[in-house]
Each structure stands twice: as C-alpha cells, then as structure tokens.
Amino acid sequence: MGDQKSFREFKQYDHTFFEKEILAFWEEKNIFQKSITEKDPNKPFVFFEGPPSANGMPGIHHVMGRTIKDIFCRYKTLKGYQVKRKAGWDTHGLPIELNVEKELGITKEDIGKKISVEDYNAACRKAVMKYTDVWNDITKRIGYWVDMDHPYITYENKYMESVWWLLKNLYHQKLLYKGYTIQPYSPKAGTGLSSHELNQPGTYQDVKDTTVVAQFLAKPNDILPDNTYFLAWTTTPWTLPSNTALTVGPKIPYVLVKTYNQYTHLPVNLILAKPLVAKQFTGKYEAVEKEEELQYSEGDKKIPYWVGQEFLGQDLVGISYEQLLPYTLPYENSDQAFRVIPGDFVTTEDGTGIVHTAPTFGADDAKVAKDAGVPPMLVLDENGHPVPLVDLQGRFRPEMKELAGKYVKNEYYADGDAPERSVDVEIAIQLKEDNKAFKVEKYEHNYPHCWRTDKPILYYPLDSWFIKVTERKERMVELNNTINWKPKATGTGRFGNWLSNANDWNLSRSRYWGIPIPIWRTEDGKEELCIGSVEELKNACDAAVAAGFMKQNPLADFVIGDMSEANYQSFDLHKNYVDEIVLVSPNGQPMKRESDLIDVWFDSGSMPYAQWHYPFENKDKIDGHQDFPADFIAEGVDQTRGWFYTLHAIATMCFDSIAYKNIISNGLVLDKNGNKMSKRLGNGVDPFETIDQYGSDATRWYMISNAQPWDNLKFDVEGIEETRRKLFGTLANTYSFFALYANIDGVAAQPSERIPVNERPEIDQWVISLLNTLVKEVDEYYADYEPTKAARAIQDFISDNLSNWYVRLCRRRFWKGDYSKDKLAAYQTLQECLEKAAILMSPIAPFYSDFLYRNLKMDMEQSVHLADYPSVDHSVIDKDLEYRMDKAQKISSMVLSLRKRESIKVRQPLQKILLPILDDQFEEQIEQVKSLILAEVNVKEIEYLKDTSGIVKKSIKPDFKVLGKKLGPKMKDLAKAVNGFGQKEIETLEQKGSIVVSLGDENYELQLEETEIRSEDIEGWMVASQDGITVALDVNITDDLQFEGNAREIVNRIQKERKDRGFEVTDRIVINFEATDLINATIHSYKDYIATEVLANKINVVPSHDLNGDAFELEINDDKIKLSIQKA
RNA sequence: UGUGAUAUAGCUUAACGGUGAAAGCAUUUGCCUUAUACGCAAAUAGAUGAAGGUUCAAGUCCUUCUAUCACAACCA
C-alpha cells in the first residue's frame, strides 16, 4: 500500500454523489464534444432529433423517449461512429398561440385590433422559449446527450426560408393546389381546427340534440306510387335547408311502408331500410298483416302500418324529390339537385338507412354529392362569391328569411341571449305542421367541441391549400417497405395502412404565429407566384417598388448571398411582415399573399433540410447524403401520423427518398395501474422528483429493462427502487469488495503482468467465458435496436453470475494468504468483468458506468463514453464450461434445498451427496466442478450412483421434435407407448441402444438418442429433482462433523465480534476462553483452523475468573462458551 | 366506427409450433455465512382472457368474441 495510488472506496451506492461528480466531469472536460470530434467524420451515424415544443413542461414519458434515443447514439459512438445530434425546438402552432391568448387575456378577434399582429407574434416568440431552461435542465439531468448549444429553431428566418424552398419545390411539381373542403370549424374561435385539436381530451362530449326524421316527397316516377316519402334522419336539423341529396346504400334492401303521419294523421307511403323498420315504428305504431287492415282515424290509440314492396338501394338511385325547405336554390346546377344518390358509407345501424345529404356541412356528403354531380347549397353573397347558408359566425344568411341572423346552435349566443326555441326546434315544428316530419325526438350522442371555447364545432366549407399527397401515395408505400420499423407491425400496419389511404394534406391554418404560405396571388386568382427564397422575395419586392405597389423594399438591408446571422436578422418572414408585401404580377397586377399559414407539422417534417438551411448552405449534407437520410430516429407511437408521416411525405415528394432507415416508435408511459397519465387524474409523474429520489440511471434502466420500448410501460416507482437495489446496489457492492481487497494487496489499475486466461482457475475461465458471450450478445441486441434484451442480459450477468456466484465462491481467494498467482488471477478477472460491464451498460446507465469505469481505471481523465466497445475473444468462450457450471449451480441449489428441508444449517458440514450418473460424460463434467459444489454446500464428497438398477428410478420422454417429423400421425401412439415404459424397458433401451415399440400394425425401432432419460428418485433417500438431475443428501452427522460444525460456528461468532468491535480485517488477535467439555474438545481438534480463520496468534484456555471484563458468552449448538478477544 | 397493438402466477415480464410453462417482485419461512439485512437461501403459487379451428403436436398459427390501450375519425 503505502504511497501507491489506491482505488476509491465508498460506503454505499449514492446516486446524488456520483451523478453530480460525473455531470461536472462531462462539462469540465467536454466529454460530449469529444465523443463526437474524436470520431471519424467519414463514419457517420445520422440521427434526427424530433423537436419537442418548449411550450409545456417535460413529463416522465419524455425521459423514456430521450433515453431510447440516447442509448443508440451512445452505442454507435462506442462502436466508433461519429454521431452528431442537433437539438431542435418546435416553436409554432396553435397550442402556443392559445397559451399566449390566455396569458394576455385576449381572443382571436382581438388580434389586429387590441393588439397588433407584430406584438402578438413577439409575445409568441417569447412564450415559446418559456420552458427552455426546464427542458435544458431535464436533458442534462437524465444524461441525454444532444447539442443544446446549436439547436434548430423553427421560427428562425433560415429555417423558414428552407421550408419555403421545399414548398416551392412541391409547387413546381404541381403538387400544391387550392381547394374548397369541409373542415371542423369553431365559429367562436374563428378558425378551422386541425384533427389533432379535435382529439384533445374532453372535446367529444355527450349532448342532447333535437333530431328529426324528415319526409322527403318523391316526385312522380316509374317505381314508387304517388304520395311516397323518403325518410331521412338528422341530428342537425339546421342543415336541412342545405339538403341537396339523399344517399342510399346500393346493396341495402329498402321497403315501402303504408301508414299514417302521427302529427298530421294523413295517410303516407314511406321508404326506409328494411332492417330499420322495427326501430322506427315504435310506440303508437302497430304492424298489420294485410293492407286492408290499415284503418285509422285521428284519436285512435294505435297507428297501423303495413310493410309492402321491397327495393334495393340501387333501384332508388336517380329518383327526384321535392326540396324539403325551399328557401333558396344552389347558385349553379340546381337542376341536378334533390336526387337519390348512392354512397358506400350508409349503414343500417341507426336512422333510416337513407342519409340526409348537405354537401356544405359534411365531408362524406360533399364527396358523394360531387361524385354524383349534385351541387352543394351555395348562394352568391353581396360580392358575388359563393357561400353556404350559414356565415362564419355560425348565423343563418338573409336567404333564410324568418330564420335569418339566428345562430344555428343556441350555444353560440352570449349568456342569456339565446332564444327559447333553437333553430333546430323551429325547423322541427315547421316540418311537423307541413307533414314533412315523421318523428321528432331528443337524442343523446357524442359530438366534438372546440377545446378552447367549449362550444360545439361546425363542419364548414373553407378554402385551403393542399398538397396532392394522393398522387405520390404508391411511392410512399414503396419507400416505406425499405424502412426498418421497430416494432414491425407499426410500419406495415398502422403506418402502412395510413399511407395507402392517405388523403391530400391540408396545409392551411388561419392563424398568426407560423410560417406563412409563400404564395402571392392577383385578386382574380389568375396569376400567382410562389416564393422559394429570401433572394426571390427581395427581387420581387424590387419589381413591386418599381411598379409603384410599395414605397420601399422591406428587404432592402438583406444582402443576397450573405449567410451571416446578422444578415438574416435584418428582416422577418412572419405574417405581420410578409402580409405588408404587395408584389407585381407579370401582367402588372398587384398580388397579395394568401393569408393562411402552413400546418406546423410541415415545419417539423422539414427539419432534415431546414436544420442545415438547405439548400442555401450545407448543400452537400443532403445532396451528398452526409446527414440524410437518418440512420435512426425514435419518437412516441403517437407521432406515426405526425412527425413520422411528415418526414416521410416530404422526403418522398421532394427527394424521392426515405427520411430514416431505422425507427423506433415507442409506447406510452402509463401509471402503475395502466391508466393514461393526465393532469386531470393527477396521476402524472414529475420526472425531476423521480430522478432526485432514485437517480437517472436507475430510472433509465428500469424503463428500458421492464418493457420493450414499443410496449406501453406501466410506470411504477417500486420498479425503479428494485432496479436500484438489485442491479446498481449489487454492482456497487461488487466494486467495493474489489476495491477493499485490491487496496490491501496493492493491486494496480493497469497490471504489469497479465495472467493468461487458460492459466487461471476454472471459475475464472467460466466467468470470462460468460463475459465474452455477453459482449457478443449485447452487441447484437443493440445493433438490432433491442435495448430491453441488452439490459436484461447485462443485469443477469452482473447480479446472478458475477456477484452471486463468482464473487461469492471466490471470496476467500481475495483475502486469504499472500499475493499469489491465484489471487492475482482473481483480481484480474473481476477487474476485467467490471470494466467491460461498465462499457456495455454505459448507453443505458451513462452516469454510474462512467463512475465505475473511471474508478477502476484509477484515472479521472478517462471516460467510458470515449472507450471502444470491447471485442469478443472467441477463444475464451467455452460452452462446455458454461454448461457444467450451470449444472453445479443447479446441484448446489438442490442440496441447499435439502438442507433446508432437514433444517441443517450450511455451516454444519455433511458427509456426502449421492448423484445418479446416466452417462459417463456427465460424471466427467461434474467431476470438474465438484470442488465448487462441495465448498458451496459444505459437504465432504460426492458419491456417483452408476449401476443404478433398483436404486435410481428413471423416467423417459420421447424426443418429439425428431420423432414427430419422422412419424407424423403415429407420434401419438409412440408417445403413449413410451410413457408406459417401466424401469425394465428403460434399462433395456439403455443397454441395447434401441428397443422395438409396437405401433398398432407396425413396429418401430426406437433409438436411445431419440429419447430423453432422466433420474427421478433414489430409493430410500430424500431427494431433490430438477431438470432431470436428482440428488440425495446424507444427513447423518457424526461426532467429527459435529466438531467441525462447532468450530465453524465459533469462527463465525468471533468474526462477527471482530466486525462489531471495528477491528481492521488485517488485525491479529489473542483469544482467551472457558467452555464446556464438548466445546473444549472441538477447539482442541480445530485450534489451527480457528486460529487461521480469525487471525488469532494464540488461543488459550483460562479459568472463568481470569477472563477480561469485556468477555462475552456464546451459545454454540446448545453448548456454552465464554471468551474474550483482544488485539495482539 | 375503422386501423393497429396487448391479454401468461397477486404484480412486472420470459418461453425457435415439440408436449412436464420460466424468472424477478410480493407473500411465508429460515439465515446478521469477515461485500452487501437496501443482503442471502428456501417454500408457496398459474389448465397462458373466452370459444372454435389448423396440426401427430398450439401460450405460440388461423377465425370469432370479450376486455384494455393507442391512433384515425362528420353514425347522418
């Protein structure tokens, strides 16, 4: 020891201590930067970071996601790749805007009035970075390595310019178009809503609406009798004035029902789907058998109905009907309206099987109507533009006469202003009076509400820009098939199906804080210009200034070609600036920007290119495939139709390429009961608290080892605690053990002489063999993106094999005797195992692994994260050795179990184990590990039972795998026959090597190799059996054994006393004692043994009164001994 | 409603289509064995969600159903 450097020793596993030390170390020595710069730039591993929105607090699921990303980036670094990881921030979008509005206490209408767009956007820009510090903090605390110093930020001009370039690329490919579609719309918020907003928790609410089954009178035709009405159900009667068609299922059977209207009592003929007759004709209605029985007059309690002729939906297609509520007509093709048309979406689940179709207020409606050439109910407004019958505030237009100006839903009125009768009710009453309502009733159903205003949404036709994704659908599917999805099913199933059914991508958002659509149009829409760069815009502005549309060029200060930050800060591409810009068309007309912003999902899908300001800078990163496509990305499975999709879509359409080669879509983090975490339930887990309490490594390890990343994780802190105890606690203890004795013996971190593995004891060879197997397996698991399997393999090795077998069996080698070759071998073996384990686990547990590694290396400059992944030494992998050690473990475990059954403690030596031997090879194997077993279970010898007839009972089982293929259907007979074998047949088979078995009409010669024979019981002995091995234990305790047991007991007690008194493990002592005759005899026989074990120089018998004051009494197996110990 | 996933001991998870379903936690019991009681050992425990089918053989493949979850959603 002396001056020599020693291993650091620790009392316990204390994550706060080493995490702090390691974080400081990483920072001080720039370990993260080094892990990139020290690698070969020509061997890149490309990773894309999905940008989190800094708008909300990080949750525990972010720890999960980031751990997964971190693991593979760190692993690839160990494997010598250069892994750049640029962080990113998603900074645009509605959630941010709504937060700001809430903070400022304004609504959308106030923007541009109470607050300028400029100030509003400034507030958004500020708000979005509100949680940056918290995010940076959690990133650091969980040890996620990502370059937070140079992130891409979606609101920066360079980023936005790249996005414009991509859009223009699509525009040139003629993939951008403007269309009129039905979208969810919130009248009170004044904006269309994205589907993601519609799926916020709590948006779908149960509401009671007035529903109407309306009667649409068929015009005279060849199929139906006069006075026939089509029945159609609606939960939104306010859309009935906009009805222009009725949709039927072509294959659905319909029937003609003769009956009377319950409100007007007039006779009517009704058409509805056959399966729904019983559902509609309830209450007062009563079926009759014959047409003649249709007798009814007002006041009768029952209304008779009679089911007549049957039709198929396709027979009804084309029949015209009278407009139900003729306020007005569609402004074009009104002659094509009011017909029965076919639609596949029609079901007979509820309603009437005939769907009221209002193309201005339903997406399905719009589609079937368009297919059938039926016009939507659009009228021309004051400016000659076609508009629906409801305005953008949700009120009826003037065409609606007495209903004009009324909101279509009472919820849209301010508190207290709502009329008693909603328009739904008014329309229902009117229909009843006009013999146009078959049934009016309240109906409770699920309807989406605006998550901000909490008012029901409207489906409303809006002008939008679309990307023609449908045109590239096939290519997207093709390219997707080349991507390695983890799990596979998400790629082929959820994502694949989604791709093959992809709709055109609605880009438009009528908001303020986002990337403006870079398209300028003339008033008549005949001329338009798509801008793809700041340079283009500046030049276009120059032309516009020359044409006199603008006084000056807002981009005057921008220097074309100068990529400096300063130059890019001389302007702003956000809405408030670019909306001021009026350009000039080729024909000299003024052009204004299309006022919408693009969907924020386009922002994030653009990140592979926009993060590098492609193609204005870093052209080669993309075109030269240096940083594109990604080798690896990972996000939550909820991004399947989000980021995963937008990345894929943009890469396919703009670059005809995949965007990522390997992808992990990880599952959700649920609470311990399997419920989704939510603020509402208050079952969310604060990641900071968790990490403070349990540490990052334990948290990360728990998450990865407990469930596959793509399965949902039921997050339970008890599991982290278990990981901390079982894995990290054990590992720390193993290291402490190593450090304690290595320091005593002056072991060096870098041994001068390395003992060849084949010269080390068997147990060393065994653990080194396992270690190399582990290195190989873990490498394969990581490479295959299977972190859970890697974690479990490492964990098993450390806690079961290294700690609980190797170290336990080898303890004595570390503290006994001189610094011999055997001792050195033990140190070197343990040291190597710990060091390599540290490297293997470092991707998952970056803190403790580094701490362990540096302590083992005794070098505070080194980091495990700069190490190379260990190479496998195949020459030291010995499967036979691993096999026989496994048997040794099993046999030991069985003997311990027998001891337990007989209540004989391990400290009491026993004479022998009986072990039946079924073949010579087995004996050879056991013989090699015999000493380990005997030491472990404290038994003197193993007696092999070879000539087993009559003593050992055996069982036999056919080898199904081999025989099944051979025999096929006869297998069952054979199994039956073999199961019926007695000891005699088994013996015959063993001796002759084969036996003839009769299988009904033929015989089969069963070979010994085609069976498995196991020992099951030993006659006259208490046995334990497991996996075909049976052991018996001789539990007879002779006097000698008793003495030895007592001696060990004494040693054990004295050791404890030493420990209690705080003696050093090297202190030598003197023992004085007085005891019973039996104990005296024991000590007499085992004096040397005891002295060596407890490091006693002398053991003296002394009379009781001569013992020191600190003497103490022990009970050894019912006998008493009084003794004192003191340092020599 | 559609798409996809999941369902194995009280809990969390294992198990190339080969037949006695394996661990850890929890529980019970015993052990302070000179690394570790935040530890060790042992014991107890399950007809693999239900019903069919394919097969000589099914926890594993197929069908239907049930439950849970996610995602997509305009049941008029």
Side-chain angles (χ1 to χ4, degrees), chain A residues 556-576:
Chain A
D557 294 338
F558 177 75
V559 182
I560 291 169
D562 176 0
M563 296 299 158
S564 71
E565 282 307 315
N567 190 36
Y568 267 83
Q569 271 163 24
S570 67
F571 63 95
D572 187 349
L573 295 182
H574 280 96
K575 183 176 168 69
N576 43 315

Side-chain angles (χ1 to χ4, degrees), chain A residues 162 226 359 365 488 580 655 740 770 834 945 951 1045:
Chain A
S162 290
D226 287 348
D365 302 29
K488 217 171 191 62
E580 303 294 314
F655 297 92
L740 174 68
L770 279 189
L834 286 172
L945 300 178
I951 306 169

Side-chain angles (χ1 to χ4, degrees), chain A residues 93-95 183-186 191-200 203-204 448-451 457 459 462 505-511 599-601:
Chain A
L94 193 64
Q183 294 166 33
Y185 176 80
S186 173
T191 180
L193 296 173
S194 69
S195 54
H196 130 260
E197 291 165 286
L198 217 58
N199 278 284
Q200 295 276 333
T203 47
Y204 277 81
H449 288 62
C450 172
W451 65 292
I457 61 105
Y459 290 92
L462 294 171
W505 182 353
N506 183 353
L507 268 188
S508 295
R509 295 291 181 273
S510 47
R511 297 295 313 189
D599 180 7
V600 284
W601 287 108

Side-chain angles (χ1 to χ4, degrees), chain A residues 511-552:
Chain A
R511 297 295 313 189
Y512 297 91
W513 178 238
I515 303 182
I517 289 182
I519 296 175
W520 272 260
R521 274 189 155 198
T522 53
E523 177 100 46
D524 57 13
K526 282 179 183 151
E527 292 175 89
E528 65 185 28
L529 183 63
C530 182
I531 298 286
S533 69
V534 181
E535 177 178 347
E536 275 176 53
L537 186 61
K538 179 173 179 169
N539 292 336
C541 285
D542 279 341
V545 171
F549 293 141
M550 284 195 295
K551 287 211 178 80
Q552 56 184 31

Side-chain angles (χ1 to χ4, degrees), chain A residues 324-425:
Chain A
L324 189 74
L325 295 164
Y327 287 97
T328 181
L329 286 172
Y331 81 102
E332 58 180 10
N333 302 327
S334 61
D335 54 321
Q336 290 298 312
F338 316 118
R339 286 188 286 131
V340 175
I341 60 174
D344 289 333
F345 66 95
V346 181
T347 67
T348 53
E349 291 291 308
D350 48 21
T352 62
I354 301 174
V355 177
H356 145 59
T357 303
T360 47
F361 301 112
D364 277 342
D365 302 29
K367 187 176 178 299
V368 288
K370 199 176 166 200
D371 291 348
V374 170
M377 182 61 81
L378 292 171
V379 294
L380 295 177
D381 71 359
E382 299 68 28
N383 305 318
H385 294 134
V387 291
L389 291 179
V390 177
D391 69 15
L392 282 164
Q393 277 72 50
R395 289 180 304 223
F396 273 130
R397 284 188 46 81
E399 288 80 2
M400 291 301 295
K401 311 219 166 82
E402 77 279 3
L403 294 175
K406 290 193 174 175
Y407 284 106
V408 299
K409 296 225 174 239
N410 266 7
E411 287 89 340
Y412 298 156
Y413 288 99
D415 285 346
D417 292 351
E420 202 181 320
R421 287 176 178 170
S422 67
V423 296
D424 284 347
V425 174

